[in-house]
Amino acid sequence: MREVGMTQPNAANKATSRRFRHATMRDLPHMQKIYARARELMAANGNPTQWGNEFPRESVIEDDIANQRTVLLVDTCNGHERILAQFALCPGEDPTYAHIDGAWLDNDTYVTIHRIASSGLVRHAARDCIKWALKHYGNVRADTHPNNKAMQHVLESSGFARCGLIQLIDRPVDTTRIAYQRHEW
């Protein structure tokens, strides 16, 4: 398994350093559990429709892994690796972002963070993922559901600008999303 980026110390839970690595198909069962937890948490916090009961679909997760878009934040606790958070990091132009009711900060090359989810084992795992993406790519875009107040807070407290509204093109219902961007100049 190839590690990606730097490590970060984590003294909590007798864990060793946090690190980022690409997901493999062996990670799929655990990743599905994390996504299931995220769906339950969103529903419990007033956002039952963003991912519903089935998103992200297994085929989407498998495609992300096969194309090395899935990055995991992991640590080792008591000799066992734990997945703390996961996200898809998608390079290139996102077709969903071609039309925005508002304006992006720029038209420069960017990466998009999609499908971010935390295992709930440590605090600020999603923020750590975003920080890592910014450090390695500089220009990052993301979007979230209008009812996902937690992710809006994470993005805004991480310095992202609210750029407008976009419409998802890959799902038939509940498709309006708030679009964000941060560019490390």
Side-chain angles (χ1 to χ4, degrees), residues 3-175:
E3 287 188 17
V4 181
M6 63 184 181
T7 61
Q8 299 175 2
N10 179 9
N13 301 323
K14 298 179 183 158
T16 61
S17 62
R18 292 183 184 187
R19 61 197 178 282
F20 291 87
R21 68 170 177 84
H22 287 285
T24 68
M25 290 299 177
R26 287 188 307 263
D27 298 310
L28 182 62
H30 194 73
M31 290 175 61
Q32 289 174 315
K33 290 177 186 174
I34 293 171
Y35 282 130
R37 177 191 176 277
R39 287 189 296 270
E40 290 172 8
L41 190 60
M42 282 192 278
N45 287 296
N47 184 20
T49 59
Q50 179 175 350
W51 284 359
N53 294 322
E54 59 188 46
F55 193 83
R57 295 176 301 281
E58 185 170 338
S59 62
V60 171
I61 302 167
E62 288 174 345
D63 187 62
D64 284 342
I65 293 170
N67 289 291
Q68 293 197 332
R69 288 187 297 260
T70 302
V71 179
L72 305 177
L73 171 59
V74 299
D75 72 2
T76 303
C77 184
N78 299 322
H80 300 285
E81 184 182 76
R82 306 183 302 176
I83 299 174
L84 306 177
Q86 58 205 33
F87 61 101
L89 190 64
C90 304
E93 291 186 20
D94 189 317
T96 301
Y97 293 171
H99 297 91
I100 184 171
D101 181 7
W104 295 109
L105 299 178
D106 58 50
N107 292 317
D108 294 348
T109 303
Y110 63 91
V111 297
T112 306
I113 293 176
H114 285 300
R115 298 176 282 287
I116 191 165
S118 170
S119 66
L121 295 173
V122 297
R123 294 176 47 90
H124 307 299
R127 188 170 290 132
D128 289 347
C129 293
I130 291 167
K131 184 177 176 181
W132 180 89
L134 285 164
K135 178 180 179 187
H136 288 84
Y137 294 93
N139 194 0
V140 179
R141 293 182 183 180
D143 64 84
T144 194
H145 192 282
N147 292 337
N148 193 338
K149 304 300 182 194
M151 184 51 66
Q152 291 172 45
H153 174 75
V154 169
L155 290 167
E156 291 170 11
S157 66
S158 296
F160 279 71
R162 192 179 285 220
C163 295
L165 299 175
I166 54 105
Q167 298 292 321
L168 298 182
I169 58 176
D170 64 345
R171 283 183 262 167
V173 295
D174 198 25
T175 62

